[in-house]
Amino acid sequence: MLPTSAEYWISKLQLNAHPEGGYYKRTYQGEEKITDQELSVQFDGHRWLYTSIYFLLRSQDISHFHRLKSDELWYYHAGSPLTVHVIHEDGSYEEVKLGTNLENNETLQYLVPKNSIFGSSVLEPDTFSLVGCMVAPGFDFQDFELFTQEQLLAQYPEHHEVIKKIAYEKIPDGVL
C-alpha cells in the first residue's frame, strides 16, 4: 500500500517549495545541451535537452498560472487526481484530470504544449497529488513566466472563474 501523507513524500523525495506553488525536486536532466538555433523556441544561451522533476501539490496548495517556452509532459504517480488547467495559445480553455480512474476521464499522462498558460489543483480535501514533469528543451527559470489575475483577465475575460481560482492576485515578493 502506498503512503497516504504528503509529508511522507516531501520528506522521502526531499522536495522543496516551488515558486508557482507545491513542492518539487529535479530528478534528471539530459547529458546534452541545445541552443535555440536548432529549435523554433527562442531563448538565451543553452538548455538541457530535457529535464524532469517530481512535483507534489497538496489540496490546500495551488500551482498558479504560468507559462513555459517548452513542452511539459506530466505523469501521474500517487495520491488524489490532479486537475491541470490550461489556457492554450488560441485562448481556448482545457481542464485535464491526471489520475488512474480512466472510466472517470482521468489520464495517466498529459502534454502541456509550449507557450500555454497553465496551473493545477487538487480537488479532494486533505490530500495531495504526486506527479512527474518532463520539460523539453529542459526547464530553466529564465523561460518561466508567472501571471497575475489582472494580466490574465485583461486578455482572457471569458475564463474569469478559473483565473480567479488559479492565478495569483499579486505575485508575492521573493517568489522569483
Side-chain angles (χ1 to χ4, degrees):
M1 182 170 169
L2 288 175
T4 57
S5 104
E7 291 72 26
Y8 170 86
W9 292 106
I10 292 167
S11 172
K12 283 291 190 186
L13 297 176
Q14 300 175 353
L15 305 178
N16 297 303
H18 196 293
E20 81 196 39
Y23 299 85
Y24 81 108
K25 179 180 182 179
R26 183 174 284 188
T27 55
Y28 299 102
Q29 60 192 30
E31 293 181 14
E32 298 176 277
K33 289 190 174 182
I34 194 164
T35 68
D36 64 358
Q37 294 176 2
E38 291 95 2
L39 305 167
S40 62
V41 176
Q42 300 271 317
F43 53 78
D44 294 326
H46 291 81
R47 297 290 180 272
W48 296 108
L49 194 55
Y50 69 89
T51 56
S52 185
I53 65 169
Y54 286 125
F55 183 66
L56 183 139
L57 201 63
R58 302 173 303 173
S59 54
Q60 67 265 36
D61 301 323
I62 292 174
S63 168
H64 293 87
F65 272 132
H66 60 286
R67 177 170 43 207
L68 301 178
K69 291 182 177 182
S70 300
D71 290 338
E72 184 168 33
L73 189 56
W74 289 55
Y75 303 93
Y76 176 82
H77 291 308
S80 295
L82 179 78
T83 303
V84 182
H85 306 271
V86 183
I87 301 174
H88 292 278
E89 278 192 279
D90 68 2
S92 65
Y93 170 74
E94 182 179 16
E95 183 178 292
V96 177
K97 292 194 184 335
L98 291 176
T100 58
N101 188 346
L102 304 182
E103 301 303 317
N104 194 32
N105 295 319
E106 294 173 9
T107 186
L108 295 170
Q109 62 184 34
Y110 174 72
L111 177 72
V112 176
K114 66 182 176 186
N115 298 320
S116 297
I117 296 168
F118 66 102
S120 58
S121 61
V122 179
L123 294 179
E124 295 178 18
D126 303 319
T127 188
F128 69 94
S129 182
L130 175 65
V131 298
C133 302
M134 187 192 75
V135 178
F139 178 83
D140 190 297
F141 274 105
Q142 292 179 65
D143 307 326
F144 177 79
E145 185 179 6
L146 276 170
F147 294 93
T148 64
Q149 293 174 9
E150 182 180 3
Q151 290 171 309
L152 293 176
L153 287 171
Q155 192 167 0
Y156 307 105
E158 68 274 24
H159 305 309
H160 178 274
E161 188 175 321
V162 72
I163 288 170
K164 286 293 205 178
K165 178 181 173 187
I166 303 298
Y168 276 117
E169 187 171 336
K170 177 184 180 284
I171 297 174
D173 291 335
V175 166
L176 285 179

